[in-house]
Amino acid sequence: GKLPGTLIADAGYGGEENYAYLEEKQVEALVKYSTYHREKSKAWKADISKVDNWTYNETEDTWTCAAGKPLAFRYESKEKTESGYEIRHRHYRSASCEGCPLKPSCTKAAGNREVKVSHAYMRFKKQVREKLKNEEGYALMVRRMVEPESVFGQIKNNRGFKRFLLRGLPKVSLEVGWLSLAHNLLKVAAVDEKRKKVGQK
């Protein structure tokens, strides 16, 4: 019935809603987001179409593109997830992209460049980036890769469990329990078999 002090998960869970929930519950999030590894590549860093590579002016609430032109704030939109979480996007537009030599690399749109940004999500991603840079955060993430991934591999690939057969949280919890029990019993059997072989020698 208690939440952990630190939660470690892979990129599939690195969404704004999950980050917001963990922050609210005061749980440290070591959860990569979907573009975490791609951001480190030379191609990503050189891509001038990515807002992540632009400069944000908080005072003026503008983004500056690779050509040095500011994109001014226009309006804010809201969307709700299935669970009711509200994501706020702020929309920005360039005054004019006409004649810009960088436009073909920046956008395929016919008109001026527009972007929509969730500042909350960008803040969460920055926090995660910084946490994963330090030794402790990196060590925990590496440990996660070693410990549960081998179990997932055994259950999914070696035992052929690709999807849940039951529906509803109570039934799925029961199914996970059976899988875990089978996995642990097979581990115990393997250890016992090794001990027997060592004893015979």
Side-chain angles (χ1 to χ4, degrees):
K2 293 182 180 179
L3 289 171
T6 302
L7 189 137
I8 309 162
D10 64 21
Y13 298 96
E16 181 182 329
E17 183 175 3
N18 287 342
Y19 289 139
Y21 173 83
L22 293 173
E23 183 177 71
E24 182 190 337
K25 299 296 181 182
Q26 296 182 326
V27 176
E28 185 179 14
L30 281 179
V31 185
K32 293 176 184 176
Y33 46 90
S34 59
T35 58
Y36 177 77
H37 290 292
R38 277 184 283 160
E39 284 179 6
K40 296 180 179 180
S41 68
K42 287 181 181 178
W44 180 283
K45 290 175 181 176
D47 190 345
I48 64 169
S49 69
K50 305 290 184 192
V51 180
D52 303 73
N53 295 328
W54 295 4
T55 304
Y56 177 65
N57 185 316
E58 192 173 352
T59 307
E60 297 180 7
D61 192 15
T62 58
W63 287 91
T64 303
C65 69
K69 294 182 178 180
L71 280 77
F73 170 72
R74 293 182 62 232
Y75 65 94
E76 184 175 88
S77 64
K78 299 173 184 177
E79 62 177 277
K80 283 192 175 182
T81 64
E82 288 182 12
S83 63
Y85 176 78
E86 188 176 82
I87 298 174
R88 296 186 173 195
H89 285 114
R90 292 179 71 78
H91 296 250
Y92 301 82
R93 182 194 280 172
S94 171
S96 175
C97 294
E98 191 176 345
C100 178
L102 300 179
K103 188 178 178 183
S105 301
C106 183
T107 180
K108 293 178 181 178
N112 297 326
R113 179 68 198 269
E114 293 187 41
V115 294
K116 70 173 185 177
V117 177
S118 166
H119 285 283
Y121 190 39
M122 294 200 88
R123 178 175 64 82
F124 289 134
K125 290 197 294 182
K126 184 181 178 183
Q127 287 174 353
V128 170
R129 235 179 268 124
E130 289 170 357
K131 286 174 186 174
L132 291 173
K133 278 180 185 176
N134 69 48
E135 280 186 40
E136 186 183 359
Y138 179 76
L140 283 169
M141 187 54 76
V142 169
R143 186 175 162 189
R144 191 208 75 84
M145 288 188 280
V146 172
E147 290 179 357
E149 288 299 335
S150 60
V151 177
F152 296 153
Q154 286 285 347
I155 291 172
K156 291 169 75 175
N157 295 322
N158 297 349
R159 303 205 179 101
F161 185 82
K162 302 291 183 183
R163 57 178 293 179
F164 288 104
L165 303 173
L166 305 174
R167 293 291 175 268
L169 188 58
K171 291 179 182 178
V172 168
S173 298
L174 192 62
E175 201 170 355
V176 168
W178 292 334
L179 283 165
S180 303
L181 183 62
H183 177 79
N184 289 334
L185 286 172
L186 286 166
K187 283 179 74 175
V188 170
V191 170
D192 287 346
E193 190 64 28
K194 282 183 181 179
R195 283 176 181 165
K196 284 178 185 176
K197 287 180 181 178
V198 170
Q200 287 171 358
K201 290 179 182 179

